[in-house]
Amino acid sequence: MSHSNRHVPAIVIGRLPLYLRALTQLAAEGRRVTSSQELSEKLGFSSAQIRKDLSYFGEFGKQGTGYEIEYLERALREILQVHHVWEMALVGGGDLGRALANYNGFEARGFRIAAIFDADPQKIGTMLGAWKIQPMQELRETVREKKIHLAIIAVPATAAQQVAAELVEGGIRAILNYAPTTLSVPPKVKVFHIDPVAGLQSMTYYL
Amino acid sequence: MSHSNRHVPAIVIGRLPLYLRALTQLAAEGRRVTSSQELSEKLGFSSAQIRKDLSYFGEFGKQGTGYEIEYLERALREILQVHHVWEMALVGGGDLGRALANYNGFEARGFRIAAIFDADPQKIGTMLGAWKIQPMQELRETVREKKIHLAIIAVPATAAQQVAAELVEGGIRAILNYAPTTLSVPPKVKVFHIDPVAGLQSMTYYL
DNA sequence: CCATGTGAATACATTCACAGCA
DNA sequence: TGCTGTGAATGTATTCACATGG
């Protein structure tokens, strides 16, 4: 069966990283084989859903046995294109920027911060972890030069749209946006939005 | 029409905070009235979807005119129960914990950190912003005493499940989880998961 | 015999399109 | 007229249930 030419719903793509995360955890526990059943219990999706999601991309399991963890892990990494490491630009050297710069969970999952930018003259030139904070004026050129395709926006909401526009001009293709505002970008540019308060608000509804 | 007795899909609840965010922004710009079309353009959902989502809760607009921003804003705040401020426990005083403690965007949207906990003896007793970091041993009692119903987990993945268990014992009803791992909690406890790397991975698929 | 992979069936979510009212 | 609110129609996603093959 040819799978690669089918259209895969975005909601399926959104679950793959969670499958990958669970597999990596299982591998770290020394496990070699798992099943859609076990993943179901660990993740809270139905086993049928997990099997169907994977079936968009190929046949990764063995009937009667389950999935060889390392093999499926590698397959998912290739599908998601995180078998190599992506370099990212981080915009915003405030508290959140610092937390992201110091976060050591990126690399193992396919990402690395390559440059940090800020608009505050007080911060420019100072070190944040291993990086020297660069002025916004250098963003476009650095991003182009270093062939950076991903960026993280960690600036106040009021500045976020302007930053997004500059990132797009620099050729950025995907943005992880921590500012609590919607960004307007060309359709070819992907945006993933993180708003903890929105998450909290959708939980308080039920309390 | 009686709306309050219908079942509202969770996916609808998840969008309400985004509507609320957009309305607050419009109000800050001095606007008094908006329409489902305008919100549609700002947020990227269809205007029909916005109207239908709101219709689960009542009739908030005027035909031919649109929505009075302040009125709809207040209505959404009540629906989401963020017309009063919720106190939260923050577990984890690392870089992420510090960023969350210093974040000034909580209060205006209905949340406030009331206590911070950490397991590291080096950190206990030291100040993080306005808070003195408390030991994990005090978590259950403090949470009960201060009637805290929400918590943020900002600890490494390896510690997250244990922390979640203690939070549940303390009577916490909703958890914002920053640890990149699935939490197992009783069904009455809500969990909202934030995993920036999962977000990045679902974007690199398309690049 | 066990767990996958997958069409068919069901359930859920979105969009259409228009009646109805300011 | 202009925009809401909403049944009906369409489109998506999930689950069922079983043939298949290790």
Side-chain angles (χ1 to χ4, degrees), chain A residues 91-125:
Chain A
V91 186
D95 284 299
L96 175 56
R98 172 176 297 105
L100 290 164
N102 291 340
Y103 180 55
N104 61 8
F106 281 127
E107 192 115 5
R109 298 172 71 195
F111 303 91
R112 175 167 47 217
I113 290 170
I116 304 182
F117 301 89
D118 202 295
D120 180 357
Q122 297 290 311
K123 290 202 181 105
I124 291 164

mmCIF file of all heavy atoms in Angstrom, chain A residues 91-125:
data_model
loop_
_atom_site.group_PDB
_atom_site.id
_atom_site.type_symbol
_atom_site.label_atom_id
_atom_site.label_comp_id
_atom_site.label_asym_id
_atom_site.label_seq_id
_atom_site.Cartn_x
_atom_site.Cartn_y
_atom_site.Cartn_z
ATOM 1 N N VAL A 91 13.493 34.871 20.116
ATOM 2 C CA VAL A 91 13.331 36.322 20.205
ATOM 3 C C VAL A 91 12.712 36.663 21.556
ATOM 4 O O VAL A 91 11.585 36.240 21.854
ATOM 5 C CB VAL A 91 12.446 36.863 19.067
ATOM 6 C CG1 VAL A 91 12.429 38.399 19.105
ATOM 7 C CG2 VAL A 91 12.951 36.384 17.724
ATOM 8 N N GLY A 92 13.457 37.405 22.360
ATOM 9 C CA GLY A 92 12.996 37.769 23.695
ATOM 10 C C GLY A 92 13.918 37.198 24.756
ATOM 11 O O GLY A 92 13.981 35.984 24.941
ATOM 12 N N GLY A 93 14.628 38.075 25.446
ATOM 13 C CA GLY A 93 15.588 37.621 26.453
ATOM 14 C C GLY A 93 15.117 37.909 27.865
ATOM 15 O O GLY A 93 15.922 38.080 28.772
ATOM 16 N N GLY A 94 13.806 37.948 28.065
ATOM 17 C CA GLY A 94 13.251 38.144 29.412
ATOM 18 C C GLY A 94 13.275 36.846 30.200
ATOM 19 O O GLY A 94 14.040 35.927 29.876
ATOM 20 N N ASP A 95 12.429 36.766 31.204
ATOM 21 C CA ASP A 95 12.420 35.573 32.051
ATOM 22 C C ASP A 95 12.082 34.322 31.262
ATOM 23 O O ASP A 95 12.707 33.284 31.440
ATOM 24 C CB ASP A 95 11.396 35.752 33.188
ATOM 25 C CG ASP A 95 11.927 36.677 34.270
ATOM 26 O OD1 ASP A 95 12.956 36.351 34.866
ATOM 27 O OD2 ASP A 95 11.317 37.732 34.482
ATOM 28 N N LEU A 96 11.086 34.445 30.399
ATOM 29 C CA LEU A 96 10.704 33.281 29.602
ATOM 30 C C LEU A 96 11.829 32.889 28.660
ATOM 31 O O LEU A 96 12.161 31.702 28.529
ATOM 32 C CB LEU A 96 9.419 33.589 28.813
ATOM 33 C CG LEU A 96 8.963 32.510 27.843
ATOM 34 C CD1 LEU A 96 8.767 31.172 28.554
ATOM 35 C CD2 LEU A 96 7.673 32.928 27.144
ATOM 36 N N GLY A 97 12.428 33.883 28.012
ATOM 37 C CA GLY A 97 13.557 33.619 27.126
ATOM 38 C C GLY A 97 14.678 32.903 27.862
ATOM 39 O O GLY A 97 15.264 31.944 27.345
ATOM 40 N N ARG A 98 14.946 33.363 29.076
ATOM 41 C CA ARG A 98 16.001 32.722 29.867
ATOM 42 C C ARG A 98 15.637 31.268 30.161
ATOM 43 O O ARG A 98 16.476 30.370 30.038
ATOM 44 C CB ARG A 98 16.223 33.469 31.176
ATOM 45 C CG ARG A 98 17.178 32.719 32.131
ATOM 46 C CD ARG A 98 17.490 33.508 33.405
ATOM 47 N NE ARG A 98 18.173 34.741 33.099
ATOM 48 C CZ ARG A 98 17.630 35.952 33.132
ATOM 49 N NH1 ARG A 98 16.364 36.082 33.499
ATOM 50 N NH2 ARG A 98 18.315 37.005 32.814
ATOM 51 N N ALA A 99 14.401 31.035 30.556
ATOM 52 C CA ALA A 99 13.972 29.667 30.852
ATOM 53 C C ALA A 99 14.135 28.772 29.626
ATOM 54 O O ALA A 99 14.605 27.634 29.729
ATOM 55 C CB ALA A 99 12.523 29.651 31.334
ATOM 56 N N LEU A 100 13.782 29.298 28.457
ATOM 57 C CA LEU A 100 13.900 28.515 27.231
ATOM 58 C C LEU A 100 15.366 28.281 26.876
ATOM 59 O O LEU A 100 15.743 27.192 26.458
ATOM 60 C CB LEU A 100 13.177 29.231 26.079
ATOM 61 C CG LEU A 100 11.649 29.244 26.194
ATOM 62 C CD1 LEU A 100 11.030 30.281 25.263
ATOM 63 C CD2 LEU A 100 11.078 27.855 25.902
ATOM 64 N N ALA A 101 16.190 29.319 27.066
ATOM 65 C CA ALA A 101 17.619 29.194 26.743
ATOM 66 C C ALA A 101 18.276 28.144 27.635
ATOM 67 O O ALA A 101 19.161 27.405 27.202
ATOM 68 C CB ALA A 101 18.315 30.535 26.900
ATOM 69 N N ASN A 102 17.845 28.060 28.885
ATOM 70 C CA ASN A 102 18.443 27.117 29.824
ATOM 71 C C ASN A 102 17.796 25.727 29.769
ATOM 72 O O ASN A 102 18.282 24.801 30.410
ATOM 73 C CB ASN A 102 18.330 27.647 31.257
ATOM 74 C CG ASN A 102 19.224 28.857 31.484
ATOM 75 O OD1 ASN A 102 20.177 29.091 30.737
ATOM 76 N ND2 ASN A 102 18.912 29.639 32.499
ATOM 77 N N TYR A 103 16.714 25.617 29.059
ATOM 78 C CA TYR A 103 16.004 24.338 29.008
ATOM 79 C C TYR A 103 16.845 23.316 28.266
ATOM 80 O O TYR A 103 17.270 23.545 27.142
ATOM 81 C CB TYR A 103 14.651 24.518 28.316
ATOM 82 C CG TYR A 103 13.832 23.253 28.222
ATOM 83 C CD1 TYR A 103 13.523 22.514 29.361
ATOM 84 C CD2 TYR A 103 13.365 22.799 26.989
ATOM 85 C CE1 TYR A 103 12.768 21.355 29.277
ATOM 86 C CE2 TYR A 103 12.603 21.646 26.894
ATOM 87 C CZ TYR A 103 12.303 20.937 28.041
ATOM 88 O OH TYR A 103 11.552 19.789 27.952
ATOM 89 N N ASN A 104 17.073 22.177 28.904
ATOM 90 C CA ASN A 104 17.949 21.191 28.267
ATOM 91 C C ASN A 104 17.173 20.042 27.625
ATOM 92 O O ASN A 104 17.730 19.000 27.321
ATOM 93 C CB ASN A 104 18.988 20.669 29.266
ATOM 94 C CG ASN A 104 18.324 19.972 30.441
ATOM 95 O OD1 ASN A 104 17.117 19.748 30.430
ATOM 96 N ND2 ASN A 104 19.104 19.630 31.451
ATOM 97 N N GLY A 105 15.876 20.255 27.415
ATOM 98 C CA GLY A 105 15.071 19.192 26.826
ATOM 99 C C GLY A 105 14.901 19.302 25.317
ATOM 100 O O GLY A 105 14.275 18.451 24.700
ATOM 101 N N PHE A 106 15.472 20.352 24.726
ATOM 102 C CA PHE A 106 15.287 20.535 23.283
ATOM 103 C C PHE A 106 16.066 19.524 22.451
ATOM 104 O O PHE A 106 15.507 18.852 21.585
ATOM 105 C CB PHE A 106 15.710 21.950 22.865
ATOM 106 C CG PHE A 106 14.698 23.016 23.166
ATOM 107 C CD1 PHE A 106 15.054 24.151 23.884
ATOM 108 C CD2 PHE A 106 13.392 22.902 22.711
ATOM 109 C CE1 PHE A 106 14.113 25.148 24.152
ATOM 110 C CE2 PHE A 106 12.453 23.888 22.974
ATOM 111 C CZ PHE A 106 12.816 25.016 23.697
ATOM 112 N N GLU A 107 17.363 19.470 22.730
ATOM 113 C CA GLU A 107 18.280 18.766 21.830
ATOM 114 C C GLU A 107 17.893 17.312 21.579
ATOM 115 O O GLU A 107 17.885 16.854 20.444
ATOM 116 C CB GLU A 107 19.707 18.849 22.387
ATOM 117 C CG GLU A 107 20.755 18.408 21.385
ATOM 118 C CD GLU A 107 21.681 19.556 20.990
ATOM 119 O OE1 GLU A 107 21.566 20.665 21.562
ATOM 120 O OE2 GLU A 107 22.523 19.326 20.105
ATOM 121 N N ALA A 108 17.548 16.593 22.648
ATOM 122 C CA ALA A 108 17.237 15.172 22.499
ATOM 123 C C ALA A 108 16.000 14.968 21.624
ATOM 124 O O ALA A 108 15.782 13.889 21.083
ATOM 125 C CB ALA A 108 17.013 14.533 23.866
ATOM 126 N N ARG A 109 15.191 16.016 21.490
ATOM 127 C CA ARG A 109 13.961 15.866 20.726
ATOM 128 C C ARG A 109 14.012 16.607 19.394
ATOM 129 O O ARG A 109 12.996 16.749 18.713
ATOM 130 C CB ARG A 109 12.756 16.290 21.578
ATOM 131 C CG ARG A 109 12.617 15.405 22.830
ATOM 132 C CD ARG A 109 11.562 15.897 23.786
ATOM 133 N NE ARG A 109 10.208 15.721 23.288
ATOM 134 C CZ ARG A 109 9.147 16.319 23.815
ATOM 135 N NH1 ARG A 109 9.284 17.138 24.852
ATOM 136 N NH2 ARG A 109 7.948 16.104 23.306
ATOM 137 N N GLY A 110 15.181 17.105 19.028
ATOM 138 C CA GLY A 110 15.356 17.596 17.666
ATOM 139 C C GLY A 110 15.524 19.086 17.477
ATOM 140 O O GLY A 110 15.429 19.574 16.343
ATOM 141 N N PHE A 111 15.804 19.838 18.547
ATOM 142 C CA PHE A 111 15.877 21.290 18.401
ATOM 143 C C PHE A 111 17.029 21.890 19.187
ATOM 144 O O PHE A 111 17.468 21.320 20.188
ATOM 145 C CB PHE A 111 14.545 21.915 18.843
ATOM 146 C CG PHE A 111 13.386 21.376 18.070
ATOM 147 C CD1 PHE A 111 12.683 20.265 18.541
ATOM 148 C CD2 PHE A 111 13.034 21.912 16.847
ATOM 149 C CE1 PHE A 111 11.641 19.724 17.801
ATOM 150 C CE2 PHE A 111 11.998 21.371 16.108
ATOM 151 C CZ PHE A 111 11.290 20.280 16.583
ATOM 152 N N ARG A 112 17.518 23.032 18.716
ATOM 153 C CA ARG A 112 18.625 23.712 19.384
ATOM 154 C C ARG A 112 18.498 25.206 19.117
ATOM 155 O O ARG A 112 18.200 25.620 18.004
ATOM 156 C CB ARG A 112 19.941 23.186 18.817
ATOM 157 C CG ARG A 112 21.174 23.910 19.349
ATOM 158 C CD ARG A 112 22.447 23.162 19.008
ATOM 159 N NE ARG A 112 22.515 22.730 17.630
ATOM 160 C CZ ARG A 112 23.053 21.570 17.229
ATOM 161 N NH1 ARG A 112 23.547 20.732 18.112
ATOM 162 N NH2 ARG A 112 23.099 21.272 15.946
ATOM 163 N N ILE A 113 18.703 25.992 20.154
ATOM 164 C CA ILE A 113 18.695 27.442 19.977
ATOM 165 C C ILE A 113 20.029 27.859 19.381
ATOM 166 O O ILE A 113 21.087 27.463 19.872
ATOM 167 C CB ILE A 113 18.428 28.157 21.316
ATOM 168 C CG1 ILE A 113 16.971 27.909 21.734
ATOM 169 C CG2 ILE A 113 18.707 29.653 21.196
ATOM 170 C CD1 ILE A 113 16.637 28.360 23.138
ATOM 171 N N ALA A 114 19.960 28.637 18.288
ATOM 172 C CA ALA A 114 21.178 29.025 17.581
ATOM 173 C C ALA A 114 21.496 30.499 17.772
ATOM 174 O O ALA A 114 22.636 30.921 17.576
ATOM 175 C CB ALA A 114 21.034 28.724 16.087
ATOM 176 N N ALA A 115 20.512 31.285 18.153
ATOM 177 C CA ALA A 115 20.740 32.722 18.331
ATOM 178 C C ALA A 115 19.595 33.304 19.149
ATOM 179 O O ALA A 115 18.465 32.812 19.087
ATOM 180 C CB ALA A 115 20.815 33.421 16.975
ATOM 181 N N ILE A 116 19.921 34.351 19.924
ATOM 182 C CA ILE A 116 18.907 35.016 20.746
ATOM 183 C C ILE A 116 18.905 36.514 20.428
ATOM 184 O O ILE A 116 19.962 37.130 20.312
ATOM 185 C CB ILE A 116 19.183 34.800 22.254
ATOM 186 C CG1 ILE A 116 19.268 33.300 22.565
ATOM 187 C CG2 ILE A 116 18.104 35.470 23.100
ATOM 188 C CD1 ILE A 116 19.500 32.978 24.039
ATOM 189 N N PHE A 117 17.699 37.051 20.303
ATOM 190 C CA PHE A 117 17.547 38.472 19.958
ATOM 191 C C PHE A 117 16.678 39.177 20.989
ATOM 192 O O PHE A 117 15.780 38.578 21.592
ATOM 193 C CB PHE A 117 16.901 38.605 18.573
ATOM 194 C CG PHE A 117 17.690 37.936 17.500
ATOM 195 C CD1 PHE A 117 17.473 36.601 17.194
ATOM 196 C CD2 PHE A 117 18.675 38.631 16.801
ATOM 197 C CE1 PHE A 117 18.222 35.965 16.214
ATOM 198 C CE2 PHE A 117 19.432 38.000 15.817
ATOM 199 C CZ PHE A 117 19.200 36.659 15.518
ATOM 200 N N ASP A 118 16.956 40.468 21.165
ATOM 201 C CA ASP A 118 16.112 41.279 22.042
ATOM 202 C C ASP A 118 16.185 42.720 21.559
ATOM 203 O O ASP A 118 17.151 43.134 20.916
ATOM 204 C CB ASP A 118 16.569 41.168 23.502
ATOM 205 C CG ASP A 118 15.451 41.530 24.482
ATOM 206 O OD1 ASP A 118 15.017 42.710 24.483
ATOM 207 O OD2 ASP A 118 14.989 40.641 25.220
ATOM 208 N N ALA A 119 15.144 43.477 21.883
ATOM 209 C CA ALA A 119 15.099 44.875 21.456
ATOM 210 C C ALA A 119 15.684 45.808 22.517
ATOM 211 O O ALA A 119 16.041 46.944 22.224
ATOM 212 C CB ALA A 119 13.655 45.277 21.162
ATOM 213 N N ASP A 120 15.802 45.327 23.735
ATOM 214 C CA ASP A 120 16.242 46.169 24.849
ATOM 215 C C ASP A 120 17.749 46.441 24.787
ATOM 216 O O ASP A 120 18.543 45.516 24.925
ATOM 217 C CB ASP A 120 15.884 45.443 26.159
ATOM 218 C CG ASP A 120 16.296 46.239 27.392
ATOM 219 O OD1 ASP A 120 16.913 47.316 27.238
ATOM 220 O OD2 ASP A 120 15.992 45.779 28.504
ATOM 221 N N PRO A 121 18.142 47.715 24.608
ATOM 222 C CA PRO A 121 19.567 48.063 24.509
ATOM 223 C C PRO A 121 20.355 47.621 25.738
ATOM 224 O O PRO A 121 21.552 47.312 25.642
ATOM 225 C CB PRO A 121 19.544 49.597 24.421
ATOM 226 C CG PRO A 121 18.180 49.951 23.957
ATOM 227 C CD PRO A 121 17.276 48.899 24.498
ATOM 228 N N GLN A 122 19.702 47.584 26.889
ATOM 229 C CA GLN A 122 20.361 47.124 28.122
ATOM 230 C C GLN A 122 20.800 45.669 28.006
ATOM 231 O O GLN A 122 21.777 45.269 28.615
ATOM 232 C CB GLN A 122 19.386 47.237 29.317
ATOM 233 C CG GLN A 122 18.943 48.654 29.644
ATOM 234 C CD GLN A 122 20.078 49.476 30.241
ATOM 235 O OE1 GLN A 122 20.750 49.025 31.157
ATOM 236 N NE2 GLN A 122 20.318 50.669 29.678
ATOM 237 N N LYS A 123 20.037 44.892 27.281
ATOM 238 C CA LYS A 123 20.313 43.455 27.219
ATOM 239 C C LYS A 123 21.279 43.087 26.098
ATOM 240 O O LYS A 123 21.983 42.083 26.177
ATOM 241 C CB LYS A 123 19.007 42.679 27.006
ATOM 242 C CG LYS A 123 18.080 42.701 28.225
ATOM 243 C CD LYS A 123 17.106 41.534 28.205
ATOM 244 C CE LYS A 123 16.165 41.572 29.387
ATOM 245 N NZ LYS A 123 14.805 42.013 29.008
ATOM 246 N N ILE A 124 21.281 43.894 25.040
ATOM 247 C CA ILE A 124 22.078 43.554 23.869
ATOM 248 C C ILE A 124 23.559 43.480 24.231
ATOM 249 O O ILE A 124 24.081 44.355 24.910
ATOM 250 C CB ILE A 124 21.831 44.585 22.744
ATOM 251 C CG1 ILE A 124 20.399 44.411 22.226
ATOM 252 C CG2 ILE A 124 22.836 44.407 21.607
ATOM 253 C CD1 ILE A 124 19.887 45.573 21.418
ATOM 254 N N GLY A 125 24.188 42.419 23.801
ATOM 255 C CA GLY A 125 25.599 42.231 24.085
ATOM 256 C C GLY A 125 25.865 41.440 25.355
ATOM 257 O O GLY A 125 26.951 40.885 25.525
#
